[in-house]
Amino acid sequence: MNSKMSPPFSLSLCLVLFIWHCWAQTPADSGYAQQFRTLGINYRTLGDNLPSPTDAVAAIKTMKFGRVKIFNPNEKILTALANTGIEVVVAVPNEQIVEVGASPSAANAWVQQHVAAYYPATIIVVILVGNEIFTGTIFQSTWTSLVPAIQNLHAALESLGWSGQIKISTAVALDVLTSSFPPSAGSFRSDIATHIIQPLLTFLTTTSSYLFVNVYPFLTCSSSSDISLSYAMFANSTNDVVDGVLTYTNLMDAQLDAVYAASFKLGFASLRIAVGETGWPTAGDPTQVHAPIDNAAVYNRRLVRKALSTTQIGTPSRPGFIIPSYIFALFNENLKPGAGSERNWGLLYPNLSQVYALDLTGQLSDSQNSPSSDSSPLVSGSGT
């Protein structure tokens, strides 16, 4: 990466128009509620040694997360979240998208079984239809069913009078983009841009929903020698990226603005984004040199400070717009396949002790706390 690279004039002009349009629509006029529960946690269960949902939810409350995102409509987890005040994002598994997209009655049944049975005691605020279905080809057969599934679920919510309280979206990885550098060059892949992404973004903007984007600076930094560790970890450095009239001091902002730029090129300048997943692993394979625990602690602490800041809201191209963000993940998961880092993203060990301390007030600096050596659990375990 050439840290001082500027885009061609046409891209710079496009970016200036993009910024002007976004500033013309202030957050107060956008139809989106101000998010006071900005930070959330991803709660996955790919482990054979994890605590009960009751104990896990108690730990989430102790850590003071305002939102939790789960990857399937787990009955025990949804029940444990009832009457906690925690807002919940629940997902339609990838394998169910085709069925829900093909049949309004199937969508109605899904809402009745996985939403109506718990809501409003369990404060479900978002239904995500699938997770990263555009990554690879394993779920390619579901692509054309995505928007119909979203529309069918929305109709089911409308029939219950809940479409204003429960939003619907999907979660995508950054590989939906064919270009992301410089950020103003962001564009969606040609195989999905027109017939899938465009109607998806139409729905999201019409219903004031968010596109959930999973953003992992650790993975980008690990795969590219052109990206510095400091740039990936929100550190002020000499590696800033200059793109037209904008300067980027961290990789996440640049990646999010690439998605914004891609959306703008399809005609959606007012699209809102949520960070569905982000985080940093605490261990990995010997070749994963950026994975030590200190890096994870620093990354997530800086992420918290950025998310809760009252002066650094949004990104360079979309200043002032709150971006709800969900840290990955609650637990280390010993059954997750892949590289060593895949099993070490958790804030907690399965015994509920902290992997490292994380201050969700956003008030502490990097030097005020260090990775936790305290092995005491956040809550008393009641067994699984």
Side-chain angles (χ1 to χ4, degrees):
M1 176 188 296
N2 182 347
S3 63
K4 299 301 180 183
M5 182 183 296
S6 296
F9 174 77
S10 59
L11 285 177
S12 297
L13 178 60
C14 180
L15 187 62
V16 169
L17 293 173
F18 175 31
I19 296 168
W20 177 87
H21 185 96
C22 293
W23 269 110
Q25 299 188 66
T26 64
D29 296 331
S30 65
Y32 292 79
Q34 292 295 305
Q35 302 291 340
F36 67 94
R37 293 182 176 92
T38 301
L39 274 170
I41 184 71
N42 283 274
Y43 177 8
R44 287 180 60 120
T45 56
L46 294 178
D48 60 9
N49 56 356
L50 299 181
S52 69
T54 299
D55 289 340
V57 169
I60 292 170
K61 289 185 66 176
T62 298
M63 298 171 76
K64 302 187 185 306
F65 280 105
R67 288 186 165 197
V68 61
K69 181 158 77 73
I70 61 177
F71 289 75
N72 58 69
N74 183 293
E75 177 183 359
K76 292 182 179 179
I77 295 176
L78 288 170
T79 299
L81 285 163
N83 304 309
T84 61
I86 298 172
E87 294 183 347
V88 180
V89 178
V90 65
V92 177
N94 294 352
E95 295 79 6
Q96 297 178 15
I97 294 174
V98 172
E99 178 185 3
V100 173
S103 168
S105 62
N108 287 332
W110 198 96
V111 169
Q112 287 295 328
Q113 181 179 356
H114 302 304
V115 178
Y118 308 98
Y119 184 81
T122 299
I123 310 173
I124 298 170
V125 294
V126 178
I127 300 171
L128 289 181
V129 183
N131 183 62
E132 298 186 353
I133 66 169
F134 302 112
T135 297
T137 59
I138 186 171
F139 291 108
Q140 188 168 359
S141 62
T142 72
W143 293 0
T144 56
S145 297
L146 175 63
V147 174
I150 288 174
Q151 293 170 332
N152 286 344
L153 288 166
H154 182 71
L157 292 176
E158 278 190 317
S159 70
L160 295 169
W162 296 343
S163 59
Q165 294 76 44
I166 303 175
K167 303 298 183 182
I168 305 179
S169 185
T170 190
V172 300
L174 282 171
D175 58 11
V176 294
L177 300 180
T178 188
S179 174
S180 62
F181 182 80
S184 61
S187 59
F188 288 110
R189 287 166 22 199
S190 60
D191 59 332
I192 57 175
T194 303
H195 66 293
I196 299 175
I197 298 297
Q198 194 159 28
L200 170 65
L201 300 191
T202 297
F203 174 88
L204 296 180
T205 54
T206 300
T207 60
S208 295
S209 187
Y210 294 80
L211 177 65
F212 280 63
V213 183
N214 299 339
V215 183
Y216 286 105
F218 165 78
L219 297 178
T220 307
C221 178
S222 298
S223 63
S224 175
S225 59
D226 292 332
I227 298 174
S228 71
L229 182 62
S230 61
Y231 184 65
M233 294 181 62
F234 305 109
N236 293 327
S237 69
T238 59
N239 298 296
D240 296 348
V241 169
V242 176
D243 184 5
V245 298
L246 301 179
T247 298
Y248 290 87
T249 61
N250 67 84
L251 179 57
M252 175 179 282
D253 277 352
Q255 291 176 320
L256 292 177
D257 271 357
V259 179
Y260 280 131
S263 303
F264 173 73
K265 290 169 186 174
L266 287 182
F268 299 95
S270 62
L271 176 73
R272 299 291 293 273
I273 287 176
V275 175
E277 300 176 20
T278 193
W280 203 279
T282 54
D285 294 334
T287 56
Q288 295 181 298
V289 297
H290 297 319
I293 187 172
D294 285 355
N295 286 353
V298 168
Y299 177 85
N300 278 329
R301 289 169 187 159
R302 290 173 177 169
L303 171 70
V304 169
R305 290 204 297 275
K306 177 176 170 57
L308 299 182
S309 171
T310 58
T311 60
Q312 301 178 36
I313 302 172
T315 63
S317 76
R318 299 293 299 277
F321 288 81
I322 293 172
I323 302 176
S325 301
Y326 297 77
I327 294 175
F328 191 90
L330 183 59
F331 294 115
N332 283 341
E333 300 170 285
N334 66 345
L335 298 183
K336 195 172 181 184
S341 61
E342 291 299 313
R343 292 172 288 284
N344 293 282
W345 290 85
L347 301 181
L348 301 178
Y349 293 110
N351 68 358
L352 295 172
S353 63
Q354 299 178 84
V355 179
Y356 53 87
L358 185 66
D359 165 47
L360 285 184
T361 70
Q363 301 300 310
L364 299 182
S365 65
D366 296 342
S367 62
Q368 286 179 281
N369 53 16
S370 58
S372 174
S373 59
D374 180 8
S375 61
S376 61
L378 291 180
V379 297
S380 298
S382 59
T384 57

